[in-house]
Amino acid sequence: QKEVEQDPGPLSVPEGAIVSLNCTYSNSAFQYFMWYRQYSRKGPELLMYTYSSGNKEDGRFTAQVDKSSKYISLFIRDSQPSDSATYLCAMSARDDKIIFGKGTRLHILP
Amino acid sequence: DSGVTQTPKHLITATGQRVTLRCSPRSGDLSVYWYQQSLDQGLQFLIQYYNGEERAKGNILERFSAQQFPDLHSELNLSSLELGDSALYFCASSPRQEGTQYFGPGTRLTVL
């Protein structure tokens, strides 16, 4: 079983819809969780950073962590065509390297 | 703009050759990470340096090596290049030994 699993997509949704992106993981020691956005031919850009379980909201973005289920989610409200990108989840244990998911390609249709 | 710079942006070379990729971290960041990203493998961690010392190693081939200099910039050396080494190579930096990483724009390497 891979440490981090993420559906590669592509996921296509109409503009204005709520988008849900998810990752599952197997290492119960993970306690730092991140979401990165990567536009085509660009470097990944940090979107959200959360520690342990719970929700974190930043504008149209909400990150959720459920450590009991080893499941994390990123919700995008009022999705825009500019949100079209690849979204990578990432996580790490304390004092350890970050493990990235392979990314989900998201297309927002105007 | 993350503050991390990488040169060159593009590199085209032939099999068997050697290339050097350069990375300058964000001001004040002590850790530098190198990643390889290909279409089928996703983002693969290669190696991390912290304040000049190697701290962690990932899936780095023996043909690849890296170092971090006293001014904290880092170089990734790729030798005896093969077609399969064609990929995007990203550098990231962070203030401490672990934690949030900030990525550079990447170097696209094409091996012909």
Side-chain angles (χ1 to χ4, degrees), chain A residues 42-110:
Chain A
K42 302 287 187 184
E45 167 197 3
L46 181 67
L47 266 183
M48 302 285 283
Y49 179 90
T50 54
Y51 170 70
S52 195
S53 280
N55 293 1
K56 183 174 182 179
E57 189 173 319
D58 183 1
R60 295 185 296 112
F61 299 90
T62 300
Q64 274 187 1
V65 175
D66 182 349
K67 291 191 72 179
S68 62
S69 301
K70 297 191 180 68
Y71 189 88
I72 70 170
S73 301
L74 177 71
F75 297 96
I76 307 175
R77 289 182 300 281
D78 188 24
S79 55
Q80 306 292 312
S82 59
D83 295 327
S84 297
T86 296
Y87 290 80
L88 300 103
C89 64
M91 47 200 82
S92 73
R94 182 178 172 81
D95 294 335
D96 204 357
K97 64 180 183 291
I98 293 178
I99 308 296
F100 285 83
K102 287 196 174 183
T104 299
R105 284 183 295 142
L106 174 65
H107 298 295
I108 306 298
L109 307 170

Coordinates of all heavy atoms in Angstrom, one line a residue, chain A residues 42-110:
Chain A
K42 N 4.7 25.0 -14.0 CA 5.1 25.8 -12.9 C 5.4 25.0 -11.7 O 5.1 23.8 -11.6 CB 4.0 26.8 -12.6 CG 3.5 27.7 -13.7 CD 4.6 28.8 -14.0 CE 4.0 29.8 -15.1 NZ 5.0 30.7 -15.5
G43 N 6.1 25.6 -10.7 CA 6.4 24.9 -9.5 C 5.1 24.9 -8.6 O 4.2 25.7 -8.6
P44 N 5.0 23.8 -7.7 CA 3.9 23.8 -6.8 C 3.9 25.0 -5.8 O 4.9 25.4 -5.4 CB 4.2 22.5 -6.0 CG 5.1 21.7 -6.9 CD 5.9 22.7 -7.6
E45 N 2.7 25.4 -5.5 CA 2.5 26.6 -4.7 C 1.7 26.2 -3.4 O 0.6 25.5 -3.6 CB 1.8 27.6 -5.5 CG 1.2 28.8 -4.7 CD 0.1 29.5 -5.6 OE1 -0.2 29.1 -6.7 OE2 -0.4 30.5 -5.1
L46 N 2.1 26.5 -2.3 CA 1.4 26.1 -1.0 C 0.1 26.8 -0.9 O 0.0 28.0 -1.0 CB 2.3 26.4 0.2 CG 1.7 26.0 1.5 CD1 1.6 24.5 1.6 CD2 2.5 26.6 2.7
L47 N -1.0 26.0 -0.8 CA -2.3 26.6 -0.6 C -2.8 26.6 0.8 O -3.3 27.6 1.4 CB -3.3 25.8 -1.4 CG -3.7 26.2 -2.8 CD1 -4.7 25.2 -3.4 CD2 -4.2 27.6 -2.9
M48 N -2.7 25.4 1.5 CA -3.2 25.3 2.8 C -2.2 24.4 3.6 O -1.6 23.5 3.1 CB -4.6 24.6 2.8 CG -5.6 25.3 2.0 SD -6.3 26.7 2.9 CE -7.3 26.0 4.1
Y49 N -2.1 24.7 4.9 CA -1.3 23.9 5.8 C -2.1 23.7 7.1 O -2.5 24.7 7.7 CB 0.0 24.8 6.1 CG 1.0 24.1 7.1 CD1 2.0 23.3 6.6 CD2 0.9 24.4 8.4 CE1 2.9 22.7 7.5 CE2 1.8 23.8 9.3 CZ 2.8 23.0 8.8 OH 3.7 22.4 9.7
T50 N -2.2 22.5 7.5 CA -2.9 22.2 8.8 C -2.1 21.2 9.6 O -1.4 20.4 9.1 CB -4.3 21.6 8.5 OG1 -4.2 20.4 7.6 CG2 -5.2 22.6 7.8
Y51 N -2.4 21.3 10.9 CA -1.7 20.4 11.8 C -2.8 19.6 12.5 O -3.8 20.1 13.0 CB -0.9 21.2 12.9 CG -0.4 20.4 14.0 CD1 0.6 19.5 13.8 CD2 -1.0 20.5 15.3 CE1 1.1 18.7 14.9 CE2 -0.5 19.8 16.3 CZ 0.5 18.9 16.1 OH 1.0 18.1 17.2
S52 N -2.6 18.3 12.5 CA -3.4 17.3 13.2 C -4.8 17.4 12.6 O -5.0 17.8 11.4 CB -3.5 17.6 14.7 OG -4.0 16.5 15.4
S53 N -5.9 17.0 13.3 CA -7.2 16.9 12.8 C -7.9 18.3 12.8 O -7.6 19.2 13.5 CB -8.0 15.9 13.6 OG -7.7 14.6 13.2
G54 N -9.1 18.3 12.0 CA -9.9 19.5 12.1 C -10.0 20.2 10.7 O -9.5 19.6 9.7
N55 N -10.6 21.3 10.8 CA -10.8 22.1 9.5 C -10.0 23.4 9.6 O -9.8 24.0 10.7 CB -12.3 22.5 9.4 CG -13.2 21.3 9.2 OD1 -12.7 20.2 9.1 ND2 -14.5 21.5 9.1
K56 N -9.7 23.9 8.4 CA -9.1 25.2 8.3 C -9.6 25.9 7.0 O -9.7 25.2 6.0 CB -7.5 25.1 8.2 CG -6.8 26.4 8.1 CD -5.3 26.2 8.2 CE -4.6 27.5 8.2 NZ -3.1 27.3 8.3
E57 N -10.0 27.1 7.2 CA -10.6 27.8 6.0 C -9.8 29.0 5.7 O -9.3 29.7 6.5 CB -12.0 28.3 6.4 CG -12.9 28.8 5.3 CD -14.3 29.1 5.7 OE1 -14.9 28.3 6.5 OE2 -14.8 30.1 5.3
D58 N -9.7 29.2 4.3 CA -9.0 30.4 3.8 C -9.7 30.8 2.6 O -9.5 30.2 1.5 CB -7.5 30.1 3.6 CG -6.7 31.3 3.1 OD1 -7.3 32.4 3.1 OD2 -5.5 31.1 2.9
G59 N -10.5 31.9 2.7 CA -11.3 32.3 1.5 C -12.2 31.2 1.0 O -13.0 30.7 1.7
R60 N -12.0 30.9 -0.3 CA -12.9 29.9 -0.9 C -12.4 28.5 -0.6 O -13.0 27.5 -1.1 CB -12.9 30.1 -2.4 CG -13.6 31.5 -2.8 CD -13.7 31.6 -4.3 NE -12.4 31.6 -5.0 CZ -12.0 30.7 -5.8 NH1 -12.7 29.5 -6.0 NH2 -10.8 30.8 -6.4
F61 N -11.3 28.3 0.0 CA -10.7 27.0 0.3 C -10.9 26.6 1.7 O -10.7 27.3 2.7 CB -9.2 27.1 0.0 CG -8.9 27.4 -1.5 CD1 -8.7 28.7 -1.8 CD2 -8.7 26.4 -2.4 CE1 -8.4 29.1 -3.2 CE2 -8.4 26.7 -3.7 CZ -8.3 28.1 -4.1
T62 N -11.2 25.3 1.9 CA -11.3 24.7 3.2 C -10.6 23.3 3.2 O -10.8 22.5 2.3 CB -12.8 24.4 3.6 OG1 -13.5 25.6 3.6 CG2 -12.9 23.8 5.0
A63 N -9.7 23.2 4.1 CA -9.0 21.9 4.3 C -9.5 21.1 5.5 O -9.8 21.7 6.5 CB -7.5 22.1 4.4
Q64 N -9.7 19.9 5.3 CA -10.3 19.0 6.4 C -9.3 17.8 6.6 O -8.8 17.2 5.6 CB -11.6 18.4 6.0 CG -12.8 19.3 6.4 CD -14.1 18.6 6.1 OE1 -14.2 17.4 5.7 NE2 -15.2 19.3 6.3
V65 N -9.1 17.5 7.8 CA -8.2 16.3 8.2 C -9.0 15.4 9.1 O -9.5 15.9 10.1 CB -6.9 16.8 8.8 CG1 -6.1 15.5 9.3 CG2 -6.1 17.6 7.9
D66 N -9.1 14.2 8.8 CA -9.8 13.2 9.6 C -8.7 12.1 9.9 O -8.5 11.2 9.1 CB -11.0 12.6 8.9 CG -11.7 11.6 9.8 OD1 -11.1 11.2 10.9 OD2 -12.8 11.2 9.5
K67 N -8.0 12.2 11.0 CA -6.9 11.3 11.3 C -7.4 9.9 11.6 O -6.8 8.9 11.4 CB -6.1 11.9 12.4 CG -5.2 13.1 12.1 CD -4.2 13.4 13.1 CE -3.1 12.4 13.1 NZ -2.0 12.8 14.1
S68 N -8.6 9.8 12.2 CA -9.2 8.5 12.5 C -9.4 7.7 11.3 O -9.2 6.5 11.3 CB -10.5 8.6 13.3 OG -11.5 9.3 12.6
S69 N -9.8 8.4 10.2 CA -10.0 7.7 8.9 C -8.8 7.7 8.0 O -8.8 7.2 6.9 CB -11.2 8.3 8.2 OG -12.4 8.2 9.0
K70 N -7.8 8.5 8.4 CA -6.6 8.7 7.5 C -7.0 9.3 6.2 O -6.7 8.7 5.1 CB -5.8 7.4 7.4 CG -5.2 6.9 8.7 CD -4.2 5.8 8.4 CE -3.6 5.3 9.7 NZ -4.6 4.5 10.5
Y71 N -7.7 10.4 6.2 CA -8.4 10.9 5.1 C -8.3 12.4 5.2 O -8.7 13.0 6.2 CB -9.8 10.5 5.1 CG -10.6 10.8 3.8 CD1 -10.7 9.9 2.8 CD2 -11.4 11.9 3.8 CE1 -11.4 10.1 1.7 CE2 -12.2 12.1 2.6 CZ -12.2 11.2 1.6 OH -13.0 11.5 0.5
I72 N -7.8 13.1 4.1 CA -7.8 14.6 4.1 C -8.6 15.0 2.8 O -8.6 14.3 1.8 CB -6.4 15.2 4.2 CG1 -5.6 14.9 2.9 CG2 -5.7 14.6 5.4 CD1 -4.3 15.7 2.9
S73 N -9.1 16.2 2.9 CA -9.9 16.8 1.8 C -9.6 18.3 1.7 O -9.2 19.0 2.6 CB -11.4 16.7 2.1 OG -11.8 15.3 2.3
L74 N -9.8 18.7 0.4 CA -9.7 20.1 0.1 C -11.0 20.5 -0.6 O -11.3 19.8 -1.6 CB -8.5 20.5 -0.8 CG -8.4 21.9 -1.2 CD1 -8.0 22.8 0.0 CD2 -7.4 22.1 -2.3
F75 N -11.7 21.5 -0.1 CA -12.9 21.9 -0.8 C -12.7 23.3 -1.4 O -12.1 24.2 -0.7 CB -14.1 22.0 0.2 CG -14.5 20.7 0.8 CD1 -13.9 20.3 2.0 CD2 -15.3 19.8 0.1 CE1 -14.3 19.0 2.6 CE2 -15.6 18.5 0.7 CZ -15.1 18.2 1.9
I76 N -13.2 23.5 -2.6 CA -13.1 24.8 -3.2 C -14.5 25.2 -3.5 O -15.2 24.5 -4.3 CB -12.3 24.7 -4.6 CG1 -10.9 24.1 -4.3 CG2 -12.1 26.1 -5.2 CD1 -10.1 23.9 -5.6
R77 N -14.9 26.4 -2.9 CA -16.2 26.9 -3.2 C -16.2 27.9 -4.3 O -15.2 28.5 -4.6 CB -16.8 27.6 -1.9 CG -17.1 26.7 -0.8 CD -17.7 27.5 0.4 NE -16.7 28.5 0.9 CZ -15.7 28.2 1.6 NH1 -15.5 27.0 2.0 NH2 -14.9 29.2 2.0
D78 N -17.4 28.0 -5.0 CA -17.5 29.0 -6.1 C -16.3 28.9 -7.0 O -15.6 29.8 -7.3 CB -17.6 30.4 -5.5 CG -17.9 31.4 -6.6 OD1 -18.5 31.1 -7.6 OD2 -17.5 32.6 -6.4
S79 N -16.1 27.7 -7.6 CA -14.9 27.4 -8.4 C -14.9 28.3 -9.6 O -15.9 28.6 -10.2 CB -14.9 25.9 -8.8 OG -16.1 25.5 -9.4
Q80 N -13.6 28.7 -10.0 CA -13.4 29.6 -11.1 C -12.5 28.9 -12.1 O -11.7 28.0 -11.8 CB -12.7 30.8 -10.6 CG -13.4 31.6 -9.5 CD -14.7 32.2 -9.9 OE1 -14.7 32.8 -10.9 NE2 -15.8 31.9 -9.2
P81 N -12.6 29.3 -13.4 CA -11.7 28.7 -14.4 C -10.2 28.8 -14.0 O -9.4 28.0 -14.3 CB -12.0 29.5 -15.6 CG -13.4 29.9 -15.5 CD -13.6 30.2 -14.0
S82 N -9.9 29.9 -13.2 CA -8.5 30.1 -12.8 C -8.0 29.0 -11.7 O -6.9 28.9 -11.4 CB -8.3 31.5 -12.2 OG -9.1 31.7 -11.1
D83 N -9.0 28.3 -11.2 CA -8.7 27.2 -10.3 C -8.2 25.9 -11.0 O -7.8 25.0 -10.4 CB -9.9 26.8 -9.4 CG -10.3 28.0 -8.5 OD1 -9.4 28.7 -8.0 OD2 -11.5 28.1 -8.2
S84 N -8.3 25.9 -12.3 CA -7.9 24.8 -13.1 C -6.4 24.6 -12.9 O -5.6 25.5 -13.3 CB -8.2 25.0 -14.6 OG -9.6 25.0 -14.8
A85 N -6.0 23.4 -12.4 CA -4.6 23.2 -12.1 C -4.5 21.7 -11.5 O -5.5 21.0 -11.5 CB -4.1 24.1 -11.0
T86 N -3.3 21.3 -11.2 CA -3.2 20.1 -10.5 C -3.0 20.3 -9.0 O -2.2 21.2 -8.6 CB -1.9 19.3 -11.0 OG1 -2.2 19.0 -12.4 CG2 -1.7 18.0 -10.2
Y87 N -3.7 19.6 -8.2 CA -3.7 19.8 -6.7 C -3.0 18.6 -6.1 O -3.4 17.5 -6.3 CB -5.1 20.0 -6.2 CG -5.7 21.3 -6.6 CD1 -6.2 21.5 -7.9 CD2 -5.6 22.4 -5.8 CE1 -6.7 22.7 -8.3 CE2 -6.2 23.7 -6.2 CZ -6.7 23.8 -7.4 OH -7.2 25.0 -7.8
L88 N -1.9 18.9 -5.4 CA -1.2 17.8 -4.7 C -1.4 17.9 -3.2 O -1.2 18.9 -2.6 CB 0.3 17.9 -5.0 CG 0.8 17.9 -6.4 CD1 1.1 19.3 -6.9 CD2 2.0 17.0 -6.6
C89 N -1.7 16.8 -2.6 CA -1.7 16.7 -1.2 C -0.3 16.3 -0.7 O 0.4 15.7 -1.5 CB -2.8 15.7 -0.6 SG -2.5 14.0 -1.1
A90 N 0.0 16.7 0.5 CA 1.3 16.4 1.0 C 1.2 16.2 2.5 O 0.4 16.9 3.2 CB 2.3 17.5 0.7
M91 N 2.0 15.4 3.1 CA 2.0 15.2 4.6 C 3.3 14.7 5.1 O 4.1 14.2 4.4 CB 0.8 14.2 4.9 CG 0.8 13.0 4.1 SD -0.8 12.2 4.1 CE -1.7 13.1 2.9
S92 N 3.5 14.9 6.4 CA 4.7 14.5 7.0 C 4.5 14.2 8.5 O 3.5 14.7 9.1 CB 5.8 15.5 6.9 OG 5.5 16.7 7.7
A93 N 5.3 13.4 9.0 CA 5.4 13.1 10.5 C 6.3 14.2 11.0 O 7.0 14.9 10.3 CB 5.9 11.7 10.8
R94 N 6.4 14.3 12.4 CA 7.3 15.2 13.0 C 8.7 14.9 12.6 O 9.1 13.7 12.7 CB 7.1 15.2 14.5 CG 7.9 16.2 15.3 CD 7.7 16.1 16.8 NE 8.6 16.9 17.5 CZ 8.4 18.2 17.7 NH1 7.4 18.8 17.2 NH2 9.3 18.9 18.4
D95 N 9.5 15.9 12.3 CA 10.9 15.7 12.0 C 11.2 14.7 10.8 O 12.2 14.0 10.9 CB 11.7 15.3 13.2 CG 11.7 16.3 14.3 OD1 11.6 17.5 14.0 OD2 11.8 16.0 15.5
D96 N 10.3 14.7 9.9 CA 10.5 13.8 8.8 C 10.1 14.4 7.4 O 9.6 15.5 7.4 CB 9.6 12.5 9.0 CG 10.1 11.3 8.2 OD1 11.1 11.4 7.5 OD2 9.5 10.2 8.4
K97 N 10.5 13.8 6.4 CA 10.3 14.4 5.1 C 8.9 14.4 4.7 O 8.1 13.6 5.2 CB 11.2 13.6 4.0 CG 10.8 12.2 3.8 CD 11.7 11.6 2.7 CE 11.3 10.1 2.4 NZ 11.6 9.2 3.5
I98 N 8.6 15.3 3.7 CA 7.2 15.4 3.2 C 7.0 14.4 2.1 O 7.8 14.2 1.2 CB 6.9 16.8 2.7 CG1 7.0 17.8 3.9 CG2 5.6 16.9 2.0 CD1 6.8 19.2 3.5
I99 N 5.8 13.7 2.2 CA 5.4 12.8 1.2 C 4.3 13.4 0.4 O 3.3 13.9 0.9 CB 4.9 11.4 1.8 CG1 6.0 10.8 2.7 CG2 4.6 10.4 0.6 CD1 7.3 10.5 2.1
F100 N 4.5 13.4 -1.0 CA 3.5 14.0 -1.8 C 2.6 13.0 -2.5 O 3.1 11.9 -2.8 CB 4.1 14.8 -2.9 CG 4.7 16.1 -2.5 CD1 5.9 16.2 -1.9 CD2 4.0 17.3 -2.6 CE1 6.5 17.4 -1.5 CE2 4.5 18.5 -2.2 CZ 5.7 18.6 -1.6
G101 N 1.3 13.3 -2.7 CA 0.4 12.5 -3.5 C 0.8 12.8 -5.0 O 1.6 13.8 -5.2
K102 N 0.3 12.0 -5.9 CA 0.7 12.2 -7.3 C -0.1 13.4 -7.9 O 0.2 13.8 -9.1 CB 0.4 11.0 -8.1 CG 1.4 9.9 -7.8 CD 1.4 8.8 -8.9 CE 2.6 7.8 -8.6 NZ 2.6 6.8 -9.7
G103 N -1.1 13.9 -7.2 CA -1.8 15.1 -7.8 C -3.1 14.7 -8.5 O -3.2 13.6 -9.1
T104 N -4.1 15.6 -8.4 CA -5.4 15.4 -9.1 C -5.5 16.6 -10.1 O -5.4 17.8 -9.7 CB -6.6 15.5 -8.2 OG1 -6.5 14.4 -7.2 CG2 -7.9 15.4 -8.9
R105 N -5.7 16.3 -11.4 CA -5.9 17.4 -12.3 C -7.3 17.8 -12.3 O -8.2 17.0 -12.4 CB -5.5 16.9 -13.7 CG -4.0 16.8 -14.0 CD -3.7 16.4 -15.4 NE -4.2 15.0 -15.6 CZ -4.7 14.6 -16.8 NH1 -4.8 15.5 -17.8 NH2 -5.1 13.4 -17.0
L106 N -7.5 19.1 -12.1 CA -8.8 19.7 -12.0 C -9.1 20.7 -13.2 O -8.2 21.5 -13.5 CB -9.0 20.5 -10.7 CG -10.2 21.3 -10.5 CD1 -11.5 20.4 -10.4 CD2 -10.1 22.2 -9.2
H107 N -10.2 20.5 -13.9 CA -10.6 21.4 -14.9 C -11.9 22.1 -14.5 O -12.9 21.4 -14.2 CB -10.8 20.7 -16.2 CG -9.6 20.0 -16.8 ND1 -8.5 20.7 -17.2 CD2 -9.3 18.7 -16.9 CE1 -7.6 19.9 -17.6 NE2 -8.0 18.7 -17.4
I108 N -12.0 23.4 -14.5 CA -13.2 24.1 -14.2 C -13.7 24.6 -15.6 O -13.0 25.4 -16.3 CB -13.0 25.3 -13.3 CG1 -12.3 24.8 -12.0 CG2 -14.3 26.0 -13.0 CD1 -13.1 23.8 -11.2
L109 N -14.9 24.2 -15.9 CA -15.5 24.5 -17.2 C -16.3 25.8 -17.2 O -17.2 25.9 -16.4 CB -16.4 23.4 -17.7 CG -15.7 22.0 -17.7 CD1 -16.7 20.9 -17.9 CD2 -14.6 21.9 -18.7
P110 N -15.9 26.8 -18.0 CA -16.6 28.1 -18.0 C -18.1 27.9 -18.4 O -18.5 27.0 -19.2 CB -15.9 29.0 -19.0 CG -14.6 28.2 -19.3 CD -14.8 26.8 -19.0

